[in-house]
Amino acid sequence: MSPSLFPQHIIAQKRDGETLTREEILAFVRGATDGSWADYQLSAMLMAIFLRGMTAAETVDYTQAMMHSGRVADLSSIRQPKADKHSTGGVGDKVSLHLAPMVAACGVTVPMISGRGLGHTGGTLDKLESIAGFRVNLSLDDYRAQLKRIGLCLIGQTAELAPADKKIYALRDVTGTVESIPLICGSILAKKLAEGIDVLVLDVKFGRGAFMPDKLKARELAQALVAVAKALGKPTRAVLTAMEEPLGRSVGNALEVAESIACLRGEGPADTMAVTYALGEQMLLLTNTARTPAEARAQLESTILDGTALKKFTEMIEAQGGDARVVEEPGRLPQAKLKVPLVAAHAGFVQDVDAMDVALAALRLGAGRAKAEDKVNPAVGVSDLVKVGEPVAAGAPLCVIHANDEATLTAAKALLEKAITLGTKPVKPVKLIDEIIE
Ligand code: URA
């Protein structure tokens, strides 16, 4: 190896604020993939990138190297356009579950490789696994075959896909280097671009319940993600959405599946459907399935009205080994032992529902995980949550707590009492869809 590609040399270059060559970036990503760089060298490099940043060209090279650190799914034998949506994560964000079948019912193939919940945000895979028998660990070959057959597949990351991210993400998590825009671009886009998609729509969230609370920072991230994906030949748009209160009325794995089924029946909460349509419209526009947002919206709405989206969802559950009877009978989803309403002490208007406190309550009930190896409880969480701006009567329920024991019920109740604020004056809900970044 040329001395210029020694880890210590590349680390020192970045430490001193130099721009790295493509070869140097490749050497770093290869070092993470094949283990030829020690964890302390990778960690030092990550901190150097965190502190010094990367130019746009370096970020593109880094993302491309991350994407090619493993297999890139070849879906070229599928003739339909292929679109995916990715969310940076929020509280009660179950949109992927019903948006994917809605878009697939419009004739767009939706290859979706999703993640698990970590910290305060939920994960699509955990939600799907609350359906008995549902398998998220398909091989890339089975994934391709299902996409060909029904135009829709939701699975977890395989070991073959962007393996460098697995190593680098785990180190970022423990070295204080998560919140770096070039590192986030490389991590999110490497996985998404390796799925074999033609176009990508991103839901970049900001606010208390988001991974990036500051709106300006979230916009900067959205712009970087769109620019890098475009430079790599994938038309991409980002929708900047607020995450101040939870999305919808349920937080918790099975409870969110039930709410997504309600969305597919045309009975979804208004805020959840607003985000769903905003993202779905961009997926149909980018794949030239619709010419205008209004046309895209009409196509998406018709998949709910004529039942084709619900049918697609059912087909996907059956294809992945799940008990599809939950679609007709959501009561078959896992149920918590205790279902206790939290009632309003006085009448008023809902001023605030703090997404972070609701997430902490769900976490305390066992719906999420603090460490990657923790198990989630599919049944527990919060449902029937009031929304900001709604009037409530004294003694009326503010939400229902689903718990498996008295201790977690009491802890969650205290957090939810703090999360929900009532006042005398009506307030306007926060604007959800802030901006579309093209
Ligand atoms: N999600 C990812 O997959 N990677 C990041 O770096 C941040 C969020």
PDB file of all heavy atoms in Angstrom, residues 291-324:
ATOM      1  N   ARG A 291     -48.858  13.935 -13.592  1.00  0.00           N
ATOM      2  CA  ARG A 291     -48.219  15.152 -14.127  1.00  0.00           C
ATOM      3  C   ARG A 291     -48.308  16.323 -13.167  1.00  0.00           C
ATOM      4  O   ARG A 291     -47.490  17.229 -13.214  1.00  0.00           O
ATOM      5  CB  ARG A 291     -48.870  15.546 -15.458  1.00  0.00           C
ATOM      6  CG  ARG A 291     -48.349  14.713 -16.639  1.00  0.00           C
ATOM      7  CD  ARG A 291     -49.233  14.855 -17.823  1.00  0.00           C
ATOM      8  NE  ARG A 291     -50.613  14.519 -17.428  1.00  0.00           N
ATOM      9  CZ  ARG A 291     -51.673  14.651 -18.193  1.00  0.00           C
ATOM     10  NH1 ARG A 291     -51.556  15.162 -19.387  1.00  0.00           N
ATOM     11  NH2 ARG A 291     -52.872  14.299 -17.773  1.00  0.00           N
ATOM     12  N   THR A 292     -49.328  16.322 -12.307  1.00  0.00           N
ATOM     13  CA  THR A 292     -49.478  17.444 -11.375  1.00  0.00           C
ATOM     14  C   THR A 292     -49.741  16.887  -9.973  1.00  0.00           C
ATOM     15  O   THR A 292     -50.222  15.749  -9.838  1.00  0.00           O
ATOM     16  CB  THR A 292     -50.702  18.319 -11.755  1.00  0.00           C
ATOM     17  OG1 THR A 292     -51.874  17.486 -11.652  1.00  0.00           O
ATOM     18  CG2 THR A 292     -50.598  18.878 -13.148  1.00  0.00           C
ATOM     19  N   PRO A 293     -49.487  17.692  -8.930  1.00  0.00           N
ATOM     20  CA  PRO A 293     -49.781  17.223  -7.577  1.00  0.00           C
ATOM     21  C   PRO A 293     -51.255  16.835  -7.423  1.00  0.00           C
ATOM     22  O   PRO A 293     -51.577  15.843  -6.772  1.00  0.00           O
ATOM     23  CB  PRO A 293     -49.414  18.413  -6.688  1.00  0.00           C
ATOM     24  CG  PRO A 293     -48.413  19.195  -7.487  1.00  0.00           C
ATOM     25  CD  PRO A 293     -48.789  18.995  -8.921  1.00  0.00           C
ATOM     26  N   ALA A 294     -52.149  17.581  -8.077  1.00  0.00           N
ATOM     27  CA  ALA A 294     -53.587  17.280  -7.942  1.00  0.00           C
ATOM     28  C   ALA A 294     -53.909  15.916  -8.555  1.00  0.00           C
ATOM     29  O   ALA A 294     -54.681  15.123  -7.991  1.00  0.00           O
ATOM     30  CB  ALA A 294     -54.412  18.377  -8.610  1.00  0.00           C
ATOM     31  N   GLU A 295     -53.279  15.637  -9.710  1.00  0.00           N
ATOM     32  CA  GLU A 295     -53.511  14.348 -10.372  1.00  0.00           C
ATOM     33  C   GLU A 295     -52.955  13.217  -9.485  1.00  0.00           C
ATOM     34  O   GLU A 295     -53.596  12.171  -9.322  1.00  0.00           O
ATOM     35  CB  GLU A 295     -52.785  14.378 -11.720  1.00  0.00           C
ATOM     36  CG  GLU A 295     -53.228  13.331 -12.691  1.00  0.00           C
ATOM     37  CD  GLU A 295     -52.441  13.438 -13.999  1.00  0.00           C
ATOM     38  OE1 GLU A 295     -52.483  14.517 -14.645  1.00  0.00           O
ATOM     39  OE2 GLU A 295     -51.777  12.453 -14.360  1.00  0.00           O
ATOM     40  N   ALA A 296     -51.790  13.451  -8.901  1.00  0.00           N
ATOM     41  CA  ALA A 296     -51.171  12.435  -8.028  1.00  0.00           C
ATOM     42  C   ALA A 296     -52.069  12.173  -6.823  1.00  0.00           C
ATOM     43  O   ALA A 296     -52.321  11.027  -6.440  1.00  0.00           O
ATOM     44  CB  ALA A 296     -49.793  12.907  -7.581  1.00  0.00           C
ATOM     45  N   ARG A 297     -52.583  13.249  -6.268  1.00  0.00           N
ATOM     46  CA  ARG A 297     -53.445  13.132  -5.089  1.00  0.00           C
ATOM     47  C   ARG A 297     -54.697  12.316  -5.416  1.00  0.00           C
ATOM     48  O   ARG A 297     -55.122  11.445  -4.660  1.00  0.00           O
ATOM     49  CB  ARG A 297     -53.802  14.553  -4.609  1.00  0.00           C
ATOM     50  CG  ARG A 297     -54.872  14.641  -3.571  1.00  0.00           C
ATOM     51  CD  ARG A 297     -54.267  14.676  -2.203  1.00  0.00           C
ATOM     52  NE  ARG A 297     -55.308  14.670  -1.192  1.00  0.00           N
ATOM     53  CZ  ARG A 297     -55.248  15.326  -0.063  1.00  0.00           C
ATOM     54  NH1 ARG A 297     -54.200  16.026   0.228  1.00  0.00           N
ATOM     55  NH2 ARG A 297     -56.206  15.256   0.809  1.00  0.00           N
ATOM     56  N   ALA A 298     -55.279  12.615  -6.580  1.00  0.00           N
ATOM     57  CA  ALA A 298     -56.505  11.905  -6.991  1.00  0.00           C
ATOM     58  C   ALA A 298     -56.207  10.408  -7.158  1.00  0.00           C
ATOM     59  O   ALA A 298     -57.007   9.560  -6.742  1.00  0.00           O
ATOM     60  CB  ALA A 298     -57.042  12.508  -8.281  1.00  0.00           C
ATOM     61  N   GLN A 299     -55.048  10.097  -7.741  1.00  0.00           N
ATOM     62  CA  GLN A 299     -54.693   8.668  -7.927  1.00  0.00           C
ATOM     63  C   GLN A 299     -54.539   7.980  -6.574  1.00  0.00           C
ATOM     64  O   GLN A 299     -55.002   6.858  -6.370  1.00  0.00           O
ATOM     65  CB  GLN A 299     -53.371   8.548  -8.686  1.00  0.00           C
ATOM     66  CG  GLN A 299     -53.481   8.872 -10.166  1.00  0.00           C
ATOM     67  CD  GLN A 299     -52.180   8.514 -10.903  1.00  0.00           C
ATOM     68  OE1 GLN A 299     -51.491   7.570 -10.571  1.00  0.00           O
ATOM     69  NE2 GLN A 299     -51.852   9.308 -11.906  1.00  0.00           N
ATOM     70  N   LEU A 300     -53.884   8.666  -5.647  1.00  0.00           N
ATOM     71  CA  LEU A 300     -53.655   8.059  -4.324  1.00  0.00           C
ATOM     72  C   LEU A 300     -54.981   7.875  -3.588  1.00  0.00           C
ATOM     73  O   LEU A 300     -55.229   6.835  -2.973  1.00  0.00           O
ATOM     74  CB  LEU A 300     -52.698   8.933  -3.500  1.00  0.00           C
ATOM     75  CG  LEU A 300     -51.251   8.972  -4.016  1.00  0.00           C
ATOM     76  CD1 LEU A 300     -50.491  10.157  -3.433  1.00  0.00           C
ATOM     77  CD2 LEU A 300     -50.521   7.669  -3.675  1.00  0.00           C
ATOM     78  N   GLU A 301     -55.836   8.910  -3.677  1.00  0.00           N
ATOM     79  CA  GLU A 301     -57.141   8.812  -2.997  1.00  0.00           C
ATOM     80  C   GLU A 301     -57.962   7.663  -3.548  1.00  0.00           C
ATOM     81  O   GLU A 301     -58.646   6.959  -2.797  1.00  0.00           O
ATOM     82  CB  GLU A 301     -57.907  10.137  -3.144  1.00  0.00           C
ATOM     83  CG  GLU A 301     -57.414  11.194  -2.170  1.00  0.00           C
ATOM     84  CD  GLU A 301     -58.061  12.556  -2.376  1.00  0.00           C
ATOM     85  OE1 GLU A 301     -58.732  12.772  -3.402  1.00  0.00           O
ATOM     86  OE2 GLU A 301     -57.858  13.414  -1.511  1.00  0.00           O
ATOM     87  N   SER A 302     -57.859   7.467  -4.863  1.00  0.00           N
ATOM     88  CA  SER A 302     -58.703   6.404  -5.455  1.00  0.00           C
ATOM     89  C   SER A 302     -58.255   5.024  -4.973  1.00  0.00           C
ATOM     90  O   SER A 302     -59.074   4.116  -4.887  1.00  0.00           O
ATOM     91  CB  SER A 302     -58.743   6.513  -6.981  1.00  0.00           C
ATOM     92  OG  SER A 302     -57.524   6.078  -7.500  1.00  0.00           O
ATOM     93  N   THR A 303     -56.970   4.859  -4.606  1.00  0.00           N
ATOM     94  CA  THR A 303     -56.525   3.536  -4.122  1.00  0.00           C
ATOM     95  C   THR A 303     -57.162   3.210  -2.761  1.00  0.00           C
ATOM     96  O   THR A 303     -57.260   2.045  -2.388  1.00  0.00           O
ATOM     97  CB  THR A 303     -54.994   3.450  -3.972  1.00  0.00           C
ATOM     98  OG1 THR A 303     -54.567   4.293  -2.887  1.00  0.00           O
ATOM     99  CG2 THR A 303     -54.255   3.798  -5.239  1.00  0.00           C
ATOM    100  N   ILE A 304     -57.572   4.257  -2.063  1.00  0.00           N
ATOM    101  CA  ILE A 304     -58.248   4.030  -0.771  1.00  0.00           C
ATOM    102  C   ILE A 304     -59.736   3.803  -1.015  1.00  0.00           C
ATOM    103  O   ILE A 304     -60.336   2.873  -0.473  1.00  0.00           O
ATOM    104  CB  ILE A 304     -57.986   5.215   0.177  1.00  0.00           C
ATOM    105  CG1 ILE A 304     -56.507   5.182   0.563  1.00  0.00           C
ATOM    106  CG2 ILE A 304     -58.883   5.150   1.410  1.00  0.00           C
ATOM    107  CD1 ILE A 304     -56.080   6.169   1.561  1.00  0.00           C
ATOM    108  N   LEU A 305     -60.285   4.655  -1.880  1.00  0.00           N
ATOM    109  CA  LEU A 305     -61.732   4.547  -2.151  1.00  0.00           C
ATOM    110  C   LEU A 305     -62.106   3.210  -2.773  1.00  0.00           C
ATOM    111  O   LEU A 305     -63.116   2.610  -2.415  1.00  0.00           O
ATOM    112  CB  LEU A 305     -62.181   5.694  -3.074  1.00  0.00           C
ATOM    113  CG  LEU A 305     -62.154   7.074  -2.427  1.00  0.00           C
ATOM    114  CD1 LEU A 305     -62.425   8.158  -3.452  1.00  0.00           C
ATOM    115  CD2 LEU A 305     -63.191   7.144  -1.290  1.00  0.00           C
ATOM    116  N   ASP A 306     -61.253   2.705  -3.691  1.00  0.00           N
ATOM    117  CA  ASP A 306     -61.627   1.442  -4.365  1.00  0.00           C
ATOM    118  C   ASP A 306     -61.039   0.206  -3.670  1.00  0.00           C
ATOM    119  O   ASP A 306     -61.198  -0.914  -4.164  1.00  0.00           O
ATOM    120  CB  ASP A 306     -61.257   1.485  -5.862  1.00  0.00           C
ATOM    121  CG  ASP A 306     -59.742   1.541  -6.099  1.00  0.00           C
ATOM    122  OD1 ASP A 306     -58.969   1.299  -5.160  1.00  0.00           O
ATOM    123  OD2 ASP A 306     -59.341   1.819  -7.242  1.00  0.00           O
ATOM    124  N   GLY A 307     -60.348   0.402  -2.577  1.00  0.00           N
ATOM    125  CA  GLY A 307     -59.861  -0.738  -1.787  1.00  0.00           C
ATOM    126  C   GLY A 307     -58.588  -1.398  -2.324  1.00  0.00           C
ATOM    127  O   GLY A 307     -58.107  -2.388  -1.761  1.00  0.00           O
ATOM    128  N   THR A 308     -57.989  -0.824  -3.411  1.00  0.00           N
ATOM    129  CA  THR A 308     -56.809  -1.503  -3.989  1.00  0.00           C
ATOM    130  C   THR A 308     -55.582  -1.384  -3.076  1.00  0.00           C
ATOM    131  O   THR A 308     -54.740  -2.288  -3.044  1.00  0.00           O
ATOM    132  CB  THR A 308     -56.473  -0.973  -5.403  1.00  0.00           C
ATOM    133  OG1 THR A 308     -56.470   0.456  -5.358  1.00  0.00           O
ATOM    134  CG2 THR A 308     -57.479  -1.457  -6.428  1.00  0.00           C
ATOM    135  N   ALA A 309     -55.479  -0.297  -2.331  1.00  0.00           N
ATOM    136  CA  ALA A 309     -54.314  -0.147  -1.435  1.00  0.00           C
ATOM    137  C   ALA A 309     -54.405  -1.155  -0.281  1.00  0.00           C
ATOM    138  O   ALA A 309     -53.415  -1.794   0.088  1.00  0.00           O
ATOM    139  CB  ALA A 309     -54.251   1.288  -0.895  1.00  0.00           C
ATOM    140  N   LEU A 310     -55.612  -1.316   0.249  1.00  0.00           N
ATOM    141  CA  LEU A 310     -55.808  -2.284   1.347  1.00  0.00           C
ATOM    142  C   LEU A 310     -55.517  -3.709   0.835  1.00  0.00           C
ATOM    143  O   LEU A 310     -54.908  -4.528   1.539  1.00  0.00           O
ATOM    144  CB  LEU A 310     -57.239  -2.182   1.876  1.00  0.00           C
ATOM    145  CG  LEU A 310     -57.502  -2.903   3.199  1.00  0.00           C
ATOM    146  CD1 LEU A 310     -56.754  -2.250   4.354  1.00  0.00           C
ATOM    147  CD2 LEU A 310     -59.004  -2.912   3.520  1.00  0.00           C
ATOM    148  N   LYS A 311     -55.906  -3.962  -0.405  1.00  0.00           N
ATOM    149  CA  LYS A 311     -55.671  -5.279  -1.016  1.00  0.00           C
ATOM    150  C   LYS A 311     -54.160  -5.510  -1.170  1.00  0.00           C
ATOM    151  O   LYS A 311     -53.649  -6.591  -0.862  1.00  0.00           O
ATOM    152  CB  LYS A 311     -56.383  -5.319  -2.372  1.00  0.00           C
ATOM    153  CG  LYS A 311     -56.433  -6.665  -2.992  1.00  0.00           C
ATOM    154  CD  LYS A 311     -57.579  -6.749  -4.017  1.00  0.00           C
ATOM    155  CE  LYS A 311     -57.400  -7.991  -4.866  1.00  0.00           C
ATOM    156  NZ  LYS A 311     -56.634  -7.729  -6.090  1.00  0.00           N
ATOM    157  N   LYS A 312     -53.437  -4.483  -1.596  1.00  0.00           N
ATOM    158  CA  LYS A 312     -51.973  -4.603  -1.746  1.00  0.00           C
ATOM    159  C   LYS A 312     -51.323  -4.888  -0.394  1.00  0.00           C
ATOM    160  O   LYS A 312     -50.393  -5.689  -0.276  1.00  0.00           O
ATOM    161  CB  LYS A 312     -51.376  -3.292  -2.274  1.00  0.00           C
ATOM    162  CG  LYS A 312     -51.193  -3.159  -3.720  1.00  0.00           C
ATOM    163  CD  LYS A 312     -50.033  -3.966  -4.254  1.00  0.00           C
ATOM    164  CE  LYS A 312     -50.226  -4.175  -5.736  1.00  0.00           C
ATOM    165  NZ  LYS A 312     -50.120  -5.446  -6.268  1.00  0.00           N
ATOM    166  N   PHE A 313     -51.797  -4.190   0.628  1.00  0.00           N
ATOM    167  CA  PHE A 313     -51.247  -4.385   1.983  1.00  0.00           C
ATOM    168  C   PHE A 313     -51.465  -5.843   2.409  1.00  0.00           C
ATOM    169  O   PHE A 313     -50.570  -6.493   2.946  1.00  0.00           O
ATOM    170  CB  PHE A 313     -51.940  -3.399   2.931  1.00  0.00           C
ATOM    171  CG  PHE A 313     -51.411  -3.406   4.348  1.00  0.00           C
ATOM    172  CD1 PHE A 313     -50.116  -3.004   4.623  1.00  0.00           C
ATOM    173  CD2 PHE A 313     -52.226  -3.798   5.415  1.00  0.00           C
ATOM    174  CE1 PHE A 313     -49.624  -2.994   5.933  1.00  0.00           C
ATOM    175  CE2 PHE A 313     -51.751  -3.787   6.724  1.00  0.00           C
ATOM    176  CZ  PHE A 313     -50.448  -3.386   6.974  1.00  0.00           C
ATOM    177  N   THR A 314     -52.674  -6.353   2.135  1.00  0.00           N
ATOM    178  CA  THR A 314     -53.000  -7.740   2.489  1.00  0.00           C
ATOM    179  C   THR A 314     -52.095  -8.709   1.729  1.00  0.00           C
ATOM    180  O   THR A 314     -51.554  -9.656   2.312  1.00  0.00           O
ATOM    181  CB  THR A 314     -54.484  -8.028   2.146  1.00  0.00           C
ATOM    182  OG1 THR A 314     -55.274  -6.979   2.684  1.00  0.00           O
ATOM    183  CG2 THR A 314     -54.957  -9.361   2.682  1.00  0.00           C
ATOM    184  N   GLU A 315     -51.902  -8.441   0.429  1.00  0.00           N
ATOM    185  CA  GLU A 315     -51.037  -9.308  -0.393  1.00  0.00           C
ATOM    186  C   GLU A 315     -49.620  -9.325   0.167  1.00  0.00           C
ATOM    187  O   GLU A 315     -48.971 -10.362   0.200  1.00  0.00           O
ATOM    188  CB  GLU A 315     -50.946  -8.754  -1.824  1.00  0.00           C
ATOM    189  CG  GLU A 315     -52.031  -9.177  -2.770  1.00  0.00           C
ATOM    190  CD  GLU A 315     -51.813  -8.523  -4.139  1.00  0.00           C
ATOM    191  OE1 GLU A 315     -50.764  -8.660  -4.763  1.00  0.00           O
ATOM    192  OE2 GLU A 315     -52.736  -7.823  -4.579  1.00  0.00           O
ATOM    193  N   MET A 316     -49.150  -8.160   0.605  1.00  0.00           N
ATOM    194  CA  MET A 316     -47.785  -8.095   1.141  1.00  0.00           C
ATOM    195  C   MET A 316     -47.668  -8.914   2.429  1.00  0.00           C
ATOM    196  O   MET A 316     -46.711  -9.666   2.623  1.00  0.00           O
ATOM    197  CB  MET A 316     -47.389  -6.644   1.414  1.00  0.00           C
ATOM    198  CG  MET A 316     -46.001  -6.537   2.033  1.00  0.00           C
ATOM    199  SD  MET A 316     -45.580  -4.871   2.518  1.00  0.00           S
ATOM    200  CE  MET A 316     -46.594  -4.632   3.958  1.00  0.00           C
ATOM    201  N   ILE A 317     -48.667  -8.804   3.306  1.00  0.00           N
ATOM    202  CA  ILE A 317     -48.618  -9.567   4.565  1.00  0.00           C
ATOM    203  C   ILE A 317     -48.583 -11.061   4.239  1.00  0.00           C
ATOM    204  O   ILE A 317     -47.764 -11.806   4.788  1.00  0.00           O
ATOM    205  CB  ILE A 317     -49.832  -9.240   5.471  1.00  0.00           C
ATOM    206  CG1 ILE A 317     -49.816  -7.764   5.861  1.00  0.00           C
ATOM    207  CG2 ILE A 317     -49.812 -10.115   6.732  1.00  0.00           C
ATOM    208  CD1 ILE A 317     -51.015  -7.339   6.708  1.00  0.00           C
ATOM    209  N   GLU A 318     -49.457 -11.479   3.309  1.00  0.00           N
ATOM    210  CA  GLU A 318     -49.495 -12.916   2.942  1.00  0.00           C
ATOM    211  C   GLU A 318     -48.166 -13.351   2.344  1.00  0.00           C
ATOM    212  O   GLU A 318     -47.607 -14.383   2.721  1.00  0.00           O
ATOM    213  CB  GLU A 318     -50.627 -13.186   1.942  1.00  0.00           C
ATOM    214  CG  GLU A 318     -51.977 -13.224   2.644  1.00  0.00           C
ATOM    215  CD  GLU A 318     -53.163 -13.153   1.685  1.00  0.00           C
ATOM    216  OE1 GLU A 318     -52.949 -12.890   0.476  1.00  0.00           O
ATOM    217  OE2 GLU A 318     -54.300 -13.335   2.165  1.00  0.00           O
ATOM    218  N   ALA A 319     -47.614 -12.531   1.438  1.00  0.00           N
ATOM    219  CA  ALA A 319     -46.357 -12.895   0.758  1.00  0.00           C
ATOM    220  C   ALA A 319     -45.216 -13.047   1.776  1.00  0.00           C
ATOM    221  O   ALA A 319     -44.304 -13.835   1.567  1.00  0.00           O
ATOM    222  CB  ALA A 319     -46.009 -11.843  -0.283  1.00  0.00           C
ATOM    223  N   GLN A 320     -45.275 -12.269   2.869  1.00  0.00           N
ATOM    224  CA  GLN A 320     -44.176 -12.308   3.839  1.00  0.00           C
ATOM    225  C   GLN A 320     -44.526 -13.153   5.080  1.00  0.00           C
ATOM    226  O   GLN A 320     -43.920 -13.021   6.131  1.00  0.00           O
ATOM    227  CB  GLN A 320     -43.723 -10.878   4.191  1.00  0.00           C
ATOM    228  CG  GLN A 320     -43.115 -10.221   2.942  1.00  0.00           C
ATOM    229  CD  GLN A 320     -42.507  -8.848   3.131  1.00  0.00           C
ATOM    230  OE1 GLN A 320     -42.797  -7.939   2.366  1.00  0.00           O
ATOM    231  NE2 GLN A 320     -41.659  -8.679   4.135  1.00  0.00           N
ATOM    232  N   GLY A 321     -45.521 -14.029   4.902  1.00  0.00           N
ATOM    233  CA  GLY A 321     -45.805 -15.036   5.934  1.00  0.00           C
ATOM    234  C   GLY A 321     -46.612 -14.552   7.118  1.00  0.00           C
ATOM    235  O   GLY A 321     -46.744 -15.259   8.125  1.00  0.00           O
ATOM    236  N   GLY A 322     -47.187 -13.346   7.038  1.00  0.00           N
ATOM    237  CA  GLY A 322     -47.926 -12.802   8.184  1.00  0.00           C
ATOM    238  C   GLY A 322     -49.390 -13.229   8.201  1.00  0.00           C
ATOM    239  O   GLY A 322     -49.926 -13.710   7.192  1.00  0.00           O
ATOM    240  N   ASP A 323     -50.037 -13.046   9.338  1.00  0.00           N
ATOM    241  CA  ASP A 323     -51.446 -13.381   9.502  1.00  0.00           C
ATOM    242  C   ASP A 323     -52.290 -12.215   8.965  1.00  0.00           C
ATOM    243  O   ASP A 323     -52.530 -11.221   9.667  1.00  0.00           O
ATOM    244  CB  ASP A 323     -51.736 -13.609  11.001  1.00  0.00           C
ATOM    245  CG  ASP A 323     -53.197 -13.945  11.243  1.00  0.00           C
ATOM    246  OD1 ASP A 323     -53.980 -13.991  10.262  1.00  0.00           O
ATOM    247  OD2 ASP A 323     -53.559 -14.173  12.415  1.00  0.00           O
ATOM    248  N   ALA A 324     -52.736 -12.348   7.700  1.00  0.00           N
ATOM    249  CA  ALA A 324     -53.431 -11.242   7.037  1.00  0.00           C
ATOM    250  C   ALA A 324     -54.843 -11.020   7.592  1.00  0.00           C
ATOM    251  O   ALA A 324     -55.492 -10.042   7.239  1.00  0.00           O
ATOM    252  CB  ALA A 324     -53.480 -11.493   5.533  1.00  0.00           C
TER     253      ALA A 324
END
